[in-house]
Amino acid sequence: MSEEEHSATEEFERQPVPSSALKGPGKFWGMYAGEHTAGTEFMIGPLFLAAGASIQDLILGLLLGNILATLTWRFLVTPIAMSKRLTLYYQLERIAGGGGVKLYNFVNGLLFCFLAGAMVTVSASAVGVPFGVTFEVPENWWQLSSPAFTVIVLLTGAVIAAIASRGYEMVARVANIAAPWMIIVFAACGLVSYTIMQSGDAFTWSDAVAFIQEKDGVQEFGFWKIVIFAWLCNGAMHFGMADLSIFRFARDKSSGWAPAIGMFLGHYVAWICAALLLAAQIKLSQDTTANPGMLAWSAIGWTGIVCVIIAGWTTANPTIYRAGLAFQALFPNSKRVVMTLVAGLVATVAGAFPTLSGKLLDFVGTYGTVLGPMGAVIFVDFWLMKRFGLRDEYAHATKSFFHPAALVAWLLPVIVGLYLIFAQGVFAAYLVIPCWLACGLLYLVLSKLTQKNA
Amino acid sequence: MNPFKIIGLLGLATTAIGPLLVFTGTLEVATNKLVMLIGMIVWFLGATPWLGTTKLQPSDKEVEI
């Protein structure tokens, strides 16, 4: 059977991907080319400028961070994915048992809802422009924007949730159709914004940073902070092994290099271009608000509006869909449609609080800190268990519904990490690797203890 | 060659040319907005039948940031 004959519904969720369904490296380069040019890029790019990053640090820091991210996909995820050819969820189930995966699934689903919520805000920011409705990011997490913007968020979220409840296929097709065009539109935003900055009295990146810092106070976002963020903003996907679900289809190890194209188009070109939008806006109107819809509208008009709506929508849709699946796994007798609508409702409510999208750099780091460490369990189980005389895939081998080692090893570092983020104000992305290492070590130690006693 | 692919690529080229002309100083920012709008419409007219029927890939169901 050719790979074309395997439809998207044949996903081998609970069995290894057969050799007949494997895909060549070209498919992976195609997949990743459009995957990281998304709604998040419209928010993250301007936030670098708003946080006071210099253009030199941004160009070099993103370069290094994206190289490290690509290496992580290639050497951490791809070997395990090609050896096991299972999804993250099924591998975890074999390690921790069905019961053990439930909590992880729930947390995963909840974080998906918040990510989708930020994307609802992004789309709503563009929907509001033709109606003259904009938003300010409030200081307080729990503060709504204007009533008009909140209504637009609720309507946008309702539409996105309703469409997501019908499945991901239709929106995935829209995303695939829009992907090449969106990459061009991001580049266009950068070119036009740069031209605006250079026209008349030249206005540099440094001028924009100085203006923001004069208005909002001095902030620092230096080289290494940029490197760490660029490397670990997708921590859940590479360190956390979520992309095992993609690379299990890889025929060749070289497919593991494919995320490079996503990184350098999305997390390099798109971020810098989106940041230039804010710099141009500051020159034109002295407005420092990172409102994606208004930024894109000012530079390229209706094309920008449509691009921001599609970018936010096509990112929110699979996120809400996946959250729905995660919730459904908790309640096996529930209907997927209902659970997707619940996820959509949570996402919409979250989207009504614009501080979530305004703090996307922190949220994305937290997302990686919470979900990333579970990848260490997979890593240790695959590479180290047998070397230490322990049994891998313990729950599967002992037909156990719940093996606590993986869950405890994951929860303890994550709880400490969340404390450091929310109580001590540590930049979230800094904690992805320490939590990952701690989780892996704990899993090994706990396995040694529990398997001995088993 | 698939006619829809030709239409799509023409739309994509139009979308790309406008900003390049702005960059070289031969097109106004306001005019570029119209050029890009036309490019967008042409792109979706061509790309929808061209790319809309392609098989979905494993990544389409996954969440990437």
Side-chain angles (χ1 to χ4, degrees):
Chain A
M1 194 186 291
S2 78
E3 65 187 40
E4 291 300 313
E5 288 172 275
H6 288 282
S7 73
T9 52
E10 273 185 274
E11 286 163 324
F12 314 106
E13 294 284 356
R14 301 183 68 81
Q15 67 187 85
V17 175
S19 58
S20 59
L22 301 184
K23 297 172 188 298
K27 286 278 183 197
F28 288 86
W29 286 89
M31 278 187 239
Y32 275 97
E35 277 298 318
H36 293 276
T37 310
T40 44
E41 279 48 270
F42 273 114
M43 280 308 305
I44 290 172
L47 290 175
F48 279 122
L49 179 65
S54 76
I55 190 68
Q56 293 87 348
D57 284 348
L58 197 61
I59 288 172
L60 294 175
L62 292 183
L63 179 68
L64 181 56
N66 286 327
I67 289 172
L68 290 169
T70 304
L71 289 170
T72 312
W73 262 296
R74 169 62 186 83
F75 292 107
L76 200 71
V77 183
T78 312
I80 299 176
M82 288 183 62
S83 177
K84 293 274 187 179
R85 301 209 176 279
L86 298 173
T87 65
L88 165 70
Y89 301 101
Y90 189 49
Q91 282 202 53
L92 281 180
E93 192 179 315
R94 292 168 73 93
I95 294 168
V101 176
K102 278 186 189 293
L103 178 65
Y104 173 79
N105 240 338
F106 174 72
V107 173
N108 201 344
L110 208 57
L111 287 170
F112 278 161
C113 287
F114 288 120
L115 177 63
M119 293 305 98
V120 171
T121 311
V122 167
S123 285
S125 76
V127 174
V129 170
F131 303 103
V133 177
T134 58
F135 74 91
E136 292 281 339
V137 177
E139 282 293 313
N140 192 335
W141 276 90
W142 304 109
Q143 205 172 331
L144 294 169
S145 188
S146 66
F149 184 73
T150 305
V151 168
I152 288 178
V153 168
L154 296 178
L155 292 174
T156 307
V159 171
I160 290 174
I163 294 172
S165 71
R166 295 173 63 89
Y168 71 96
E169 290 89 349
M170 191 269 279
V171 180
R173 290 191 193 288
V174 174
N176 290 341
I177 291 165
W181 168 79
M182 272 171 50
I183 292 167
I184 299 287
V185 171
F186 268 102
C189 287
L191 273 178
V192 171
S193 299
Y194 183 76
T195 307
I196 291 170
M197 289 166 69
Q198 294 303 309
S199 64
D201 293 332
F203 186 77
T204 64
W205 179 283
S206 303
D207 293 333
V209 171
F211 184 88
I212 290 174
Q213 303 227 335
E214 195 178 309
K215 193 178 173 205
D216 300 335
V218 176
Q219 295 182 71
E220 272 197 44
F221 209 96
F223 174 79
W224 287 108
K225 201 169 182 179
I226 295 169
V227 171
I228 295 293
F229 182 82
W231 181 14
L232 300 171
C233 66
N234 270 110
M237 287 77 198
H238 46 62
F239 271 105
M241 303 275 181
D243 280 0
L244 288 176
S245 303
I246 297 175
F247 284 111
R248 68 196 163 120
F249 288 94
R251 180 180 294 136
D252 194 292
K253 280 180 184 169
S254 66
S255 301
W257 296 111
I261 195 167
M263 291 297 96
F264 284 96
L265 285 176
H267 292 191
Y268 202 71
V269 175
W271 279 357
I272 292 173
C273 290
L276 288 172
L277 283 172
L278 180 59
Q281 177 181 276
I282 292 170
K283 179 186 180 183
L284 292 176
S285 61
Q286 292 76 52
D287 182 2
T288 59
T289 311
N291 176 334
M294 188 53 81
L295 289 171
W297 165 256
S298 304
I300 54 172
W302 282 103
T303 307
I305 296 285
V306 174
C307 185
V308 172
I309 291 173
I310 291 179
W313 174 44
T314 54
T315 310
N317 195 82
T319 314
I320 291 173
Y321 176 80
R322 297 294 305 200
L325 288 182
F327 293 157
Q328 192 194 13
L330 279 178
F331 308 102
N333 294 327
S334 61
K335 289 186 175 174
R336 184 189 58 76
V337 173
V338 175
M339 289 296 114
T340 310
L341 288 173
V342 170
L345 179 68
V346 177
T348 304
V349 172
F353 299 92
T355 310
L356 177 64
S357 62
K359 300 274 186 193
L360 202 58
L361 298 181
D362 298 309
F363 173 75
V364 166
T366 308
Y367 181 85
T369 301
V370 173
L371 297 181
M374 199 53 119
V377 169
I378 301 273
F379 179 87
V380 168
D381 201 75
F382 182 79
W383 291 109
L384 300 180
M385 293 300 266
K386 284 180 180 164
R387 292 184 190 192
F388 281 80
L390 297 165
R391 190 178 284 177
D392 62 341
E393 297 190 342
Y394 189 73
H396 179 70
T398 56
K399 296 185 170 45
S400 161
F401 180 68
F402 179 67
H403 174 48
L407 205 62
V408 175
W410 170 60
L411 277 175
L412 287 179
V414 167
I415 289 168
V416 174
L418 290 176
Y419 168 77
L420 291 172
I421 292 167
F422 291 107
Q424 301 296 320
V426 176
F427 183 56
Y430 287 155
L431 295 165
V432 176
I433 291 177
C435 287
W436 193 92
L437 291 172
C439 177
L441 193 64
L442 270 173
Y443 176 59
L444 196 60
V445 172
L446 290 172
S447 292
K448 192 86 181 164
L449 294 173
T450 53
Q451 288 198 14
K452 248 183 189 174
N453 296 332
Chain B
M1 197 183 197
N2 181 348
F4 292 117
K5 187 174 179 179
I6 295 171
I7 294 169
L9 291 177
L10 275 173
L12 204 60
T14 309
T15 308
I17 285 168
L20 285 171
L21 293 176
V22 171
F23 184 68
T24 56
T26 46
L27 193 69
E28 292 294 319
V29 171
T31 315
N32 175 56
K33 290 178 181 176
L34 181 63
V35 172
M36 288 190 72
L37 176 63
I38 293 167
M40 176 182 73
I41 293 167
V42 176
W43 164 254
F44 279 103
L45 283 176
T48 303
W50 168 32
L51 299 174
T53 52
T54 51
K55 297 277 181 195
L56 293 178
Q57 298 297 324
S59 63
D60 288 324
K61 202 181 165 188
E62 302 304 323
V63 176
E64 303 284 336
I65 293 175

